[in-house]
Amino acid sequence: MKEAIEQVLKQLEELSVSSQKDVEEARVRFLGKKGCVTALMEQFRTVPAEMKREYGQKLNELKKTVTARIEALKEQAEATAVQLAPKQDLSMPGDPLEPGSRHPVSIVRQEIVDIFRKFGYDVAEGPEIEDDWHVFEALNFPPNHPAREMQDTFFVSTGHLNPLLLRTHTSSVQVRTMESQPLPIRVICPGRVFRNEAISARAHCIFHQVEGLYIDKDVTFADLKQAILLFAREMFGPDTEIRMRPSYFPFTEPSAEVDVSCNICHGKGCNICKGTGWLEIMGCGMVDPNVLEASGIDSKQYSGFAFGMGVERIAMLKWQVNDLRHYFENDMRFLREFTTATEV
Ligand code: DAH
């Protein structure tokens, strides 16, 4: 048996293999079920008792040595295989990179912003996580107004006097601007807003608004009407008419809702305007004196108007995409339709 062991060690030493296949063959030859090392292990049974100890050790060592050598050869062969693997063909054409395009909501928001910039408005922004003061209290919402309730508002923290919440409208930026900017103020505030609504074709829990605010001495309702008429004509075409319907918002008095003449049927009545010839685009009004005073503005000297519109709503009217969910799902087939509408 001693000789047999030496024989195996010699064979091992002489072993010269390079491919992974050869290494595997060698492994089977030495360590496989019918391999020479395995055969020696089986022969161990016939070794006389007094020599078992010595040969047991020898055989174990042999198995270790063989296994280690085969392992080393295997690693070597693997490394060589990687080296020899065909290199990437650098002359292959690259993956085509499609240029992205602006999102339809972004396109419309920019259009609204550009129109008001032309009229001399600055852009103001505020935080999406707001406090009760800026979203409700300073905007003259009575303490138990339904808009404050859980079913509308996502609260971030409750329980103290001025809870944190996700803003439900961009009117909060009005307040921040009045608190921090010198008068007169002429700003628009684009931004994302959040309401706890079930998602459907007509409602979403996230959407975008653009808020407008103008405060100066002697600002009147006529100024408001004129600003909105000019905006509507820039946005929907020079023949667009507007009409105002009395409405209610806690932060404006008087308040109105604004409709534009339907730019699809030009007032004749179609399914977009539901046969009325008019499309609702925004809420507006004269800033309530309480709101001015809450932000430290003297309501005897100053007056102003405010308005607020939904960006998705304007986009729907512009492109007749009547399911709000399309604006949030980022389906490439939908987004690609706006590639050509993008101005860089
Ligand atoms: N904040 C209102 C809303 O989210 C929109 C609005 C209406 C804003 C009238 C105004 C306004 O500034 O005067 O529905």
Side-chain angles (χ1 to χ4, degrees):
M1 178 163 254
K2 202 170 161 199
E3 274 159 33
I5 291 177
E6 265 157 27
Q7 189 69 30
V8 173
L9 283 172
K10 194 159 168 250
Q11 275 179 31
L12 190 69
E13 223 168 86
E14 284 167 4
L15 188 65
S16 115
V17 289
S18 54
S19 74
Q20 283 168 299
K21 194 170 151 254
D22 290 349
V23 175
E24 177 56 14
E25 268 172 26
R27 190 192 64 78
V28 173
R29 215 160 1 102
F30 284 88
L31 300 166
K33 265 194 192 144
K34 291 181 184 156
C36 52
V37 177
T38 320
L40 281 176
M41 298 298 251
E42 269 160 24
Q43 269 179 39
F44 181 68
R45 268 186 284 134
T46 63
V47 171
E50 67 276 12
M51 294 169 82
K52 273 212 155 55
R53 194 186 156 89
E54 186 192 341
Y55 279 106
Q57 268 177 6
K58 278 207 160 81
L59 277 176
N60 276 339
E61 242 166 65
L62 176 72
K63 195 170 179 189
K64 253 198 217 159
T65 317
V66 174
T67 311
R69 174 103 168 102
I70 299 273
E71 234 1 87
L73 286 170
K74 196 172 156 194
E75 268 172 35
Q76 229 174 48
E78 270 168 14
T80 320
V82 170
Q83 262 177 17
L84 294 179
K87 296 268 179 313
Q88 223 171 13
D89 180 357
L90 297 180
S91 66
M92 296 263 287
D95 291 335
L97 269 186
E98 267 183 78
S101 58
R102 298 250 309 277
H103 190 280
V105 168
S106 214
I107 296 170
V108 171
R109 185 195 50 202
Q110 194 59 45
E111 228 176 291
I112 300 170
V113 166
D114 287 345
I115 292 170
F116 282 105
R117 273 236 179 91
K118 263 202 302 208
F119 301 161
Y121 285 69
D122 289 328
V123 174
E125 288 187 331
E128 291 178 349
I129 301 178
E130 257 296 3
D131 53 22
D132 182 89
W133 169 260
H134 291 94
V135 176
F136 298 127
E137 191 73 34
L139 286 165
N140 202 33
F141 277 79
N144 293 316
H145 194 280
R148 289 179 182 229
E149 276 178 27
M150 284 298 225
Q151 63 260 40
D152 263 305
T153 310
F154 288 115
F155 284 92
V156 175
S157 69
T158 49
H160 51 87
L161 272 176
N162 191 18
L164 287 180
L165 40 90
L166 298 185
R167 65 181 177 197
T168 56
H169 55 181
T170 42
S171 305
S172 53
V173 189
Q174 272 192 33
V175 179
R176 288 199 173 266
T177 311
M178 287 190 286
E179 284 172 344
S180 63
Q181 300 295 313
L183 295 163
I185 287 171
R186 193 154 33 179
V187 291
I188 43 163
C189 325
R192 213 159 34 156
V193 300
F194 307 85
R195 285 185 202 174
N196 194 356
E197 305 245 15
I199 295 170
S200 69
R202 317 205 79 231
H204 208 287
C205 53
I206 304 176
F207 54 102
H208 299 78
Q209 289 187 331
V210 175
E211 181 82 13
L213 177 70
Y214 178 36
I215 297 177
D216 203 345
K217 289 183 172 147
D218 306 321
V219 179
T220 67
F221 201 89
D223 298 320
L224 168 62
K225 247 169 125 175
Q226 189 61 18
I228 290 174
L229 179 64
L230 287 175
F231 164 73
R233 291 194 167 161
E234 290 276 331
M235 190 77 208
F236 298 106
D239 303 328
T240 308
E241 295 294 340
I242 62 166
R243 75 174 184 187
M244 285 178 160
R245 287 174 286 110
S247 185
Y248 170 78
F249 300 102
F251 34 90
T252 42
E253 182 58 39
S255 305
E257 256 156 284
V258 183
D259 298 336
V260 290
S261 51
C262 180
N263 60 337
I264 312 299
C265 62
H266 301 283
K268 285 191 208 80
C270 66
N271 62 340
I272 300 293
C273 61
K274 300 203 186 75
T276 63
W278 295 96
L279 301 161
E280 189 189 318
I281 60 158
M282 67 169 94
C284 67
M286 300 305 291
V287 180
D288 192 300
N290 288 344
V291 172
L292 295 173
E293 297 288 342
S295 294
I297 295 173
D298 182 355
S299 62
K300 299 216 167 49
Q301 279 200 58
Y302 287 93
S303 56
F305 63 70
F307 54 86
M309 66 190 105
V311 179
E312 284 81 1
R313 167 105 195 127
I314 306 277
M316 280 174 150
L317 300 180
K318 198 173 155 72
W319 288 305
Q320 281 87 57
V321 175
N322 285 334
D323 190 330
L324 254 182
R325 289 167 294 197
H326 285 303
Y327 293 104
F328 295 93
E329 282 167 0
N330 284 335
D331 184 327
M332 292 297 279
R333 290 167 301 181
F334 173 68
L335 296 180
R336 279 209 183 94
E337 298 207 12
F338 300 92
T339 318
T340 47
T342 308
E343 304 147 29
V344 184

